[in-house]
Amino acid sequence: MLRKSKFRFHDPDPAVITSLDKSLPISQISTIQQRLELIQAALLKLEVRLIGEHFAKAITHLCGEEKSLVAAFSLLQRYFDQNNRIVISKMRNSLVSDVFIRGLEYRAKERNVENLQRIENVERSVFAALLAMAEVLTENTLRSVVNALVTWAELGLKPYATREERGRLVIVFMFANSFYESFNSLALPYFGQLIEMSVKVLHFSNATVTPGVFCLDFFAYRSLLLLFGKKDTMDGKEADSLITQVIDFVGNCARHPEFFTEDRATSLIGPLTDEIVNSKLAGHEKRCVPHLADTLYRVSDTHPNVFQIVLDKILLKTRNGRAKIRYRALLVVEAIFDKAGDGIAPHLPMVMPFLSELLEGEFEKFLTFYHQLCKNLFGNFLIEQYF
């Protein structure tokens, strides 16, 4: 069975407390809280084999209630202990389809951007319960659970997928990062299909990729972009969140060369570096630094043979016709060089010509910024030598 590296279960009592109406008198809240705790204690005495159907009905009934869903999954989490391992193993697939996935559908029902925190609260509670169940399952029995979630989310990549189906991609990569945070390298055997999906998500979420490269039908391609909303809309924030989660997921995998092979690294270098030009989607600068820069550094640090390829692709972005792209490419370069330290020295002869170009001609108005950046990267000695 899996043993998580570090994960703290949420105490159920806060979920009960936060579900109460704070406008009620303190004495009444205390009484209600006590009753709810007694109800919880009574429910926890039920045999685990009896809870599946009732939780499925409860989650369906509470599908639009954030606080109630959080409390329900907090309660469900407490059933997952080693004493119930055999029964839970038998129930796992029905729990995924009838309870966990139903809870994760809250995102599709709540489309008010001001309630984004509520969505995250519900999903965190679902993830906490899922990870609690994962701890009592064996590697083989857990595989069907993860596969079911990935299959459910993969529909978001099909042509003409609905917004609801695309939203599943955000959820599954958020779960993958939570899974990794809790179980570290023990989570890697379940990530093979998600690595392949990462390539597709980064391609199809990039508004600057040439139509037709990945899909002959331009309109089908457009339907796969996952870009529907403008800045500060729910769709726009979901697209930004999706790319950020995928970038972080790749960065987590890149810590482990035995899983993140050089072939996998090579397949992701292009989609990752192309994110530097994906400025049409809100949140671009924050995605570039720290998320993208950190991931590209981890990929290069794990497989030094690909560092030159990564650096070439990033530096080519400094020749982009848009000042915003040149600026963000340099931010990524600066962040990577800062992490690489003295290890960047062998690559300086290739880097400096690109930076020299930025200090000439039409780029003159950026002279102060680029000059300061070069000083930060290489120091005054190299500035005097090259410029």
Side-chain angles (χ1 to χ4, degrees):
M1 64 194 69
L2 294 181
R3 292 292 183 187
K4 57 192 175 183
S5 58
K6 53 175 182 177
F7 182 77
R8 296 180 180 177
F9 293 131
H10 296 290
D11 188 76
D13 291 339
V16 173
I17 294 171
T18 55
S19 66
L20 300 178
D21 186 347
K22 296 300 188 294
S23 65
L24 296 173
I26 295 178
S27 59
Q28 189 173 350
I29 290 178
S30 178
T31 302
I32 295 173
Q33 179 184 338
Q34 185 178 18
R35 289 177 180 174
L36 289 172
E37 289 175 348
L38 289 172
I39 292 171
Q40 275 196 345
L43 289 172
L44 288 170
K45 293 179 181 178
L46 291 174
E47 293 184 42
V48 177
R49 63 182 179 84
L50 301 175
I51 67 171
E53 179 183 352
H54 299 293
F55 264 100
K57 291 179 179 178
I59 298 304
T60 300
H61 181 70
L62 301 171
C63 61
E65 302 292 333
E66 173 226 349
K67 293 180 180 179
S68 298
L69 285 172
V70 171
F73 281 104
S74 179
L75 174 62
L76 177 61
Q77 181 180 332
R78 297 185 64 184
Y79 284 97
F80 299 133
D81 60 48
Q82 294 299 332
N83 294 330
N84 298 322
R85 180 172 57 84
I86 296 176
V87 177
I88 292 169
S89 180
K90 293 178 180 178
M91 297 172 56
R92 69 189 189 281
N93 292 330
S94 61
L95 284 174
V96 171
S97 60
D98 300 336
V99 178
F100 290 115
I101 286 179
R102 293 293 172 265
L104 293 173
E105 288 174 351
Y106 179 81
R107 175 180 288 269
K109 296 178 174 63
E110 178 56 81
R111 302 307 297 169
N112 186 342
V113 69
E114 295 180 358
N115 294 333
L116 191 59
Q117 186 61 50
R118 295 183 180 182
I119 296 173
E120 293 175 356
N121 290 340
V122 171
E123 290 174 353
R124 277 196 296 266
S125 70
V126 177
F127 296 161
L130 264 170
L131 294 174
M133 184 173 75
E135 193 177 1
V136 303
L137 296 176
T138 64
E139 182 176 343
N140 288 333
T141 54
L142 178 57
R143 190 172 300 280
S144 66
V145 171
V146 178
N147 287 346
L149 289 172
V150 173
T151 300
W152 171 73
E154 196 173 19
L155 292 175
L157 285 172
K158 71 179 183 180
Y160 306 106
T162 64
R163 281 181 170 84
E164 176 187 349
E165 290 169 335
R166 290 189 176 93
R168 298 176 185 181
L169 292 167
V170 183
I171 296 170
V172 78
F173 280 101
M174 287 178 64
F175 170 71
N177 286 324
S178 296
F179 192 12
Y180 178 83
E181 182 181 351
S182 298
F183 292 91
N184 203 269
S185 61
L186 293 177
L188 295 175
Y190 307 93
F191 287 168
Q193 191 173 352
L194 286 174
I195 282 288
E196 296 177 7
M197 289 171 61
S198 297
V199 178
K200 296 177 182 179
V201 169
L202 290 171
H203 274 314
F204 296 143
S205 300
N206 196 320
T208 63
V209 176
T210 304
V213 173
F214 304 105
C215 184
L216 295 178
D217 183 345
F218 174 73
F219 295 102
Y221 171 85
R222 292 278 298 178
S223 73
L224 290 170
L225 282 178
L226 307 172
L227 303 175
F228 291 101
K230 297 181 180 180
K231 183 179 180 181
D232 295 329
T233 66
M234 179 62 80
D235 293 329
K237 286 185 176 295
E238 280 188 336
D240 177 39
S241 177
L242 172 61
I243 298 174
T244 302
Q245 291 295 331
V246 170
I247 290 171
D248 289 347
F249 169 74
V250 173
N252 287 332
C253 293
R255 299 173 187 267
H256 306 275
E258 69 284 355
F259 172 77
F260 195 76
T261 62
E262 190 166 326
D263 286 343
R264 282 176 168 164
T266 302
S267 70
L268 278 155
I269 289 173
L272 284 170
T273 53
D274 282 344
E275 178 58 26
I276 294 174
V277 300
N278 192 20
S279 61
K280 292 183 180 180
L281 187 62
H284 182 240
E285 184 169 335
K286 190 174 181 180
R287 291 198 304 276
C288 286
V289 179
H291 299 280
L292 182 62
D294 287 350
T295 292
L296 287 172
Y297 172 75
R298 287 175 187 166
V299 170
S300 303
D301 188 51
T302 299
H303 296 292
N305 291 338
V306 306
F307 181 59
Q308 187 65 56
I309 300 173
V310 171
L311 193 56
D312 286 345
K313 288 184 176 294
I314 298 174
L315 289 172
L316 285 173
K317 310 300 183 189
T318 65
R319 292 174 173 171
N320 189 279
R322 300 173 61 204
K324 181 188 295 186
I325 303 303
R326 298 193 297 274
Y327 167 71
R328 287 170 185 168
L330 285 173
L331 289 180
V332 173
V333 170
E334 181 182 26
I336 291 176
F337 283 13
D338 185 58
K339 291 178 179 295
D342 294 340
I344 199 62
H347 302 277
L348 289 182
M350 183 197 72
V351 173
M352 299 312 294
F354 283 91
L355 298 183
S356 297
E357 290 179 12
L358 295 171
L359 300 177
E360 300 172 357
E362 60 180 300
F363 303 109
E364 185 175 355
K365 64 180 179 179
F366 301 106
L367 177 61
T368 302
F369 167 74
Y370 292 138
H371 197 277
Q372 183 60 46
L373 177 60
C374 291
K375 288 177 66 176
N376 293 341
L377 290 174
F378 309 115
N380 288 320
F381 173 76
L382 283 175
I383 291 295
E384 294 172 0
Q385 179 178 350
Y386 282 91
F387 304 117

